[in-house]
Amino acid sequence: MSCDTVQFSNFVILIKTLYNMSIHKSVKRVTTHVLHEMKLKGEKIAMLTAYDYSMAKIVDAAEIDVILVGDSASNVMAGYETTLPITLDNMIYHAASVVRAVKRALVVVDLPFGTYQGNSKEALASSIRIMKETGAHAVKLEGGREVVESVERILSAGIPVMGHLGLTPQSIHKFGTYVVRAREIEEANRLLSDASLLEKTGCFAIVLEKIPASLAEEVTKSLKIPLIGIGAGSKVDGQVLVLHDMLGLNQEFSPRFLRRYHNLHSEIKGAVQAYIADVRSQDFPNEKEQY
Ligand code: KIV
């Protein structure tokens, strides 16, 4: 064996050892503390949405770190144009289905529109319902300084809270469009101070949606808690995507930040067409497929 070959195989062993020593490999259950350790060690956090038992089981088996039962269920599961119509009961149904499937990931549930903005007591009551009726591990809400009192009250009941800044889809009618947020200095400064406020209040992590990569990097460097990006560049502590988008289940939604890992739309359509053809031609069921 040449010297180069020995050096290369030693290098491969070192990489494999380091990989096996990584935090996400060693934990049986992801907690908010695990996410903090991952940030400290520079290990990226992988998060995806899920809304039902079957998908959550697959996503968890793949060893995702965080599953978000997002209010994007309003779009991808219920077919609404925005995230506003989904109810607390709907979210509880989705979250309970996901929790029944999950053994390892941290499960975070979105507080839907209208269940926390009114006042902090309402925010706490909604969060308690989610925790009690689903068995999830944390809640997420959108906004900065305007939700701080609610975050404080939810935390006072021992419920971990994830923040969400930048493009906050529950405020779509205020923004008017889904364009990139915080390009202007004033909004960028507001986002920076909101992020710091959420950290001081006790949020364990924050989602940054659709903001300039340079701003997301600045926020990430200035905070100790993990920042999870969606359309916020690569210099954050982790990434989140909507499962249906990254699997290519819907074809209409194609923002620049979306990487499609599959084209399930055409795969499923093809399978359904094959089934229809088999039924029509009486190829299905055959001898072996009947009693
Ligand atoms: O509801 C959702 O899916 C989300 C992600 C886009 C972060 O909030």
Side-chain angles (χ1 to χ4, degrees):
M1 220 195 283
S2 79
C3 191
D4 278 356
T5 319
V6 172
Q7 272 184 350
F8 180 71
S9 54
N10 283 345
F11 177 69
V12 170
I13 291 167
L14 176 69
I15 294 293
K16 279 188 177 162
T17 313
L18 286 175
Y19 180 74
N20 287 330
M21 273 164 51
S22 59
I23 295 168
H24 75 272
K25 275 269 131 194
S26 62
V27 296
K28 286 213 165 72
R29 185 104 230 183
V30 180
T31 63
T32 57
H33 300 283
V34 168
L35 300 183
H36 284 166
E37 274 184 60
M38 287 175 78
K39 169 153 184 158
L40 274 176
K41 289 215 171 168
E43 256 180 55
K44 297 288 183 187
I45 296 163
M47 168 163 150
L48 277 174
T49 65
Y51 319 96
D52 69 279
Y53 177 85
S54 304
M55 285 292 197
K57 210 170 166 92
I58 299 170
V59 172
D60 189 53
E63 299 197 343
I64 198 79
D65 300 311
V66 185
I67 292 181
L68 172 67
V69 184
D71 58 357
S72 49
S74 182
N75 310 109
V76 299
M77 299 301 287
Y80 290 115
E81 215 168 284
T82 71
T83 57
L84 276 66
I86 198 156
T87 65
L88 187 57
D89 284 341
N90 294 157
M91 290 301 295
I92 286 172
Y93 167 78
H94 287 298
S97 311
V98 166
V99 169
R100 282 194 285 275
V102 170
K103 292 196 166 75
R104 180 184 173 277
L106 182 85
V107 179
V108 182
V109 183
D110 261 335
L111 280 165
F113 176 68
T115 65
Y116 63 96
Q117 292 93 342
N119 61 61
S120 61
K121 280 192 183 156
E122 193 186 359
L124 177 60
S126 307
S127 305
I128 287 177
R129 272 202 69 197
I130 287 177
M131 301 300 282
K132 245 187 186 329
E133 295 177 41
T134 73
H137 311 121
V139 297
K140 173 164 91 57
L141 47 69
E142 296 182 4
R145 58 203 71 183
E146 65 281 10
V147 295
V148 159
E149 197 189 308
S150 295
V151 172
E152 252 168 14
R153 200 179 273 260
I154 299 168
L155 285 167
S156 75
I159 302 172
V161 182
M162 179 181 269
H164 185 155
L165 295 170
L167 178 71
T168 45
Q170 291 179 12
S171 305
I172 185 59
H173 296 303
K174 185 175 91 184
F175 298 143
T177 75
Y178 287 98
V179 294
V180 178
R181 304 302 311 172
R183 277 199 196 277
E184 305 301 328
I185 187 81
E186 208 178 306
E187 196 182 337
N189 284 338
R190 189 182 164 92
L191 189 144
L192 273 163
S193 67
D194 277 348
S196 154
L197 192 58
L198 289 177
E199 175 177 67
K200 278 198 195 94
T201 311
C203 281
F204 73 87
I206 302 173
V207 167
L208 294 176
E209 181 164 355
K210 226 171 169 186
I211 61 168
S214 55
L215 175 62
E217 181 177 5
E218 197 180 337
V219 181
T220 304
K221 281 186 175 154
S222 67
L223 300 193
K224 290 203 172 65
I225 58 171
L227 281 300
I228 315 288
I230 172 162
S234 62
K235 301 282 169 37
V236 284
D237 302 305
Q239 299 291 332
V240 55
L241 284 176
V242 168
L243 186 66
H244 289 53
D245 298 340
M246 60 85 77
L247 290 179
L249 264 166
N250 48 7
Q251 295 188 313
E252 308 85 38
F253 186 62
S254 282
R256 186 209 288 216
F257 67 75
L258 174 60
R259 185 179 293 182
R260 283 213 173 84
Y261 287 84
H262 221 301
N263 189 348
L264 273 192
H265 183 277
S266 66
E267 291 234 358
I268 294 174
K269 193 171 164 197
V272 173
Q273 284 170 335
Y275 166 73
I276 294 168
D278 287 352
V279 170
R280 291 197 177 134
S281 66
Q282 297 182 41
D283 177 73
F284 176 79
N286 63 24
E287 287 283 304
K288 288 186 189 150
E289 290 162 334
Q290 59 195 349
Y291 300 99

